Amino acid sequence: MTEEILTAKKAYELFEKDWDNLKDLNLTNLEEAEFGLKTLIEIRNKHTGKKSSFSSLMKLIGQVSPEDRIAFAQEVQKLKTRVEIAIDLAEREIKSVISEFKAAQESKDVTLPGRRPRVGHLHLLTILRQQIEDIFVSMGYAIEDDREIETDYYNFEALNIPEGHPARESQDTFYTTEGFALRSQTSTVQIRAMERHGAPIRIIAPGKVFRRDTPDMTHVPMFHQIEGLCVDKGITMAHLKGTVAEWLRRLFGKETRIRIRPSYFPFTEPSAEFDFSCFKCSGTGTFEAERCRPCKGSGWIELGGSGMVHPNVLRACNVDPQVYSGFAFGFGLERMCALMYSLDDIRLMFENDVRFLEQFR
Ligand SMILES: [Zn+2]
């Protein structure tokens, strides 16, 4: 045997030493198995990589005498292949052990204690809506519900908003491809309820409305309105004012005052916007020696629109405006909720983050 072949054998012996060390490793848990794989990779780099002992042996070939050259090359190749096969097999084995440990870790541990299910509660908008509904029911009003996708007739025409009326544009309505509108106000329910029940009638209609607004701190494309309608013989603005003042007093306290300001809506004549004295500062504009936040220091909070039902609207529902008159009002629930709970951003109410919602039980 030539000297060179002896160096090849020596290189293999060095590998075997490392290999014995690897075989002594325990693989009884994931950590140990991962350590085994790391050790194996080190062995591979050391013995078969570019700077390994076998690679330098291959470079010796040119120095071996011609008669021994073939035998030497064959011996080096044989040992190198043996090393590579051993490493490949071991790698496959260790990797399968690792994946078994990982699978076992992911499977259910029946000895762990159970997790208590979280108990839900009503959304803050629902809580406020129910409070307002209860107040109106106690005042003799019925709760009316109706569809959210409407025809052009119910969303505009019957509400005295004919084709070409500027109010149609300002409302920025969503339309379906078939030409239906997502209702832009709950006033549509006034029409449907009067068609169904005729006069006299006293209803409130809470529900979703849709407008093409880009969401920001004070706008969302879907929000809730509560609409009120009262039609009977001899109904006047005084009844409107008394009713709005009464339900706000029941919600915010006996001292609550209201004021109405002239306004314009196509479906009421005359029309008015209504404000109520701030629930936080009792209308003084100052709370704890600071400018009151909900009313921005004015003492008044603007809430909604109202007015006497337009005779054209009554006619559209086959109610005779010579016999009957009525008032209607509407306001946004999200805005009211935001004021009551001092929320700067109404989008919080729709993000459904449980940490936020849990504060309002
Ligand atoms: Zn205030």
Side-chain angles (χ1 to χ4, degrees):
M1 195 181 286
T2 64
E3 207 179 309
E4 286 82 7
I5 287 185
L6 276 175
T7 46
K9 293 239 184 267
K10 207 162 249 172
Y12 187 75
E13 276 165 22
L14 282 174
F15 162 75
E16 278 188 316
K17 215 179 209 174
D18 284 343
W19 198 243
D20 285 343
N21 287 340
L22 177 78
K23 282 196 285 190
D24 287 344
L25 290 179
N26 286 319
L27 301 178
T28 51
N29 60 43
L30 181 61
E31 221 172 26
E32 287 176 352
E34 278 173 341
F35 178 73
L37 185 63
K38 200 176 138 224
T39 311
L40 180 74
I41 289 164
E42 281 166 11
I43 291 174
R44 171 183 279 152
N45 291 339
K46 184 171 166 190
H47 295 281
T48 69
K50 272 185 191 157
K51 288 177 184 166
S52 65
S53 40
F54 279 102
S55 291
S56 40
L57 279 173
M58 295 304 260
K59 283 174 202 151
L60 279 178
I61 287 178
Q63 295 167 28
V64 178
S65 59
E67 61 270 27
D68 293 330
R69 196 170 286 166
I70 293 172
F72 172 75
Q74 281 175 344
E75 185 66 15
V76 171
Q77 191 56 50
K78 190 184 86 187
L79 293 175
K80 191 173 176 242
T81 308
R82 199 185 286 175
V83 167
E84 283 167 351
I85 290 172
I87 290 174
D88 284 350
L89 287 175
E91 185 186 13
R92 214 176 298 167
E93 199 180 312
I94 297 178
K95 281 187 170 168
S96 101
V97 170
I98 287 176
S99 69
E100 268 172 41
F101 280 131
K102 283 190 171 164
Q105 247 178 19
E106 280 159 18
S107 65
K108 285 189 182 97
D109 181 352
V110 292
T111 62
L112 280 174
R115 275 194 209 124
R116 198 177 288 276
R118 294 171 89 164
V119 179
H121 58 89
L122 294 175
H123 191 277
L124 69 162
L125 282 170
T126 311
I127 296 170
L128 180 60
R129 195 199 73 216
Q130 289 184 347
Q131 277 177 343
I132 296 171
E133 283 176 357
D134 285 349
I135 291 171
F136 277 100
V137 168
S138 73
M139 288 163 70
Y141 281 69
I143 295 164
E144 199 76 23
D145 192 15
D146 223 299
R147 65 211 73 186
E148 289 164 5
I149 300 177
E150 274 294 2
T151 61
D152 185 84
Y153 175 77
Y154 286 97
N155 201 51
F156 296 117
E157 196 88 29
L159 288 163
N160 201 33
I161 313 174
E163 195 100 29
H165 193 289
R168 286 199 181 210
E169 283 164 37
S170 68
Q171 280 171 336
D172 288 328
T173 311
F174 283 110
Y175 288 97
T176 70
T177 46
E178 294 83 8
F180 291 104
L182 298 191
R183 67 180 180 197
S184 45
Q185 70 265 317
T186 40
S187 308
T188 54
V189 188
Q190 285 183 29
I191 309 296
R192 293 205 175 263
M194 276 195 279
E195 280 182 351
R196 263 199 298 271
H197 311 297
I201 187 169
R202 276 202 298 269
I203 57 152
I204 61 158
K208 295 188 187 84
V209 298
F210 306 85
R211 304 218 183 143
R212 286 167 55 182
D213 271 327
T214 309
D216 61 24
M217 283 168 79
T218 53
H219 295 87
V220 277
M222 186 282 290
F223 56 99
H224 296 78
Q225 275 189 340
I226 295 188
E227 183 88 7
L229 172 75
C230 169
V231 177
D232 208 335
K233 289 173 184 164
I235 297 290
T236 67
M237 273 309 257
H239 295 107
L240 166 65
K241 204 178 168 194
T243 305
V244 170
E246 180 61 22
W247 79 259
L248 284 168
R249 276 177 198 139
R250 291 197 193 185
L251 191 65
F252 292 114
K254 281 204 296 284
E255 301 74 28
T256 310
R257 288 164 289 125
I258 73 150
R259 70 176 185 191
I260 57 176
R261 292 173 286 114
S263 187
Y264 168 78
F265 304 107
F267 31 87
T268 44
E269 180 60 37
S271 303
E273 282 176 65
F274 60 95
D275 309 339
F276 67 102
S277 55
C278 179
F279 53 87
K280 193 152 191 184
C281 62
S282 309
T284 60
T286 312
F287 185 75
E288 289 173 351
E290 303 228 354
R291 193 177 82 127
C292 177
R293 266 184 79 193
C295 65
K296 298 191 184 98
S298 74
W300 292 98
I301 292 175
E302 295 176 15
L303 187 59
S306 64
M308 301 304 292
V309 182
H310 198 289
N312 287 349
V313 175
L314 293 176
R315 269 184 221 112
C317 307
N318 288 324
V319 174
D320 186 352
Q322 302 293 333
V323 181
Y324 290 101
S325 56
F327 64 77
F329 59 88
F331 59 93
L333 203 56
E334 278 78 3
R335 207 181 98 76
M336 195 164 177
C337 226
L339 287 167
M340 289 170 73
Y341 296 115
S342 303
L343 308 174
D344 291 325
D345 192 333
I346 63 170
R347 289 172 297 190
L348 284 167
M349 291 182 228
F350 300 99
E351 279 165 2
N352 289 335
D353 185 329
V354 173
R355 291 164 302 177
F356 168 75
L357 296 174
E358 270 177 347
Q359 303 170 66
F360 311 97
R361 282 169 188 263

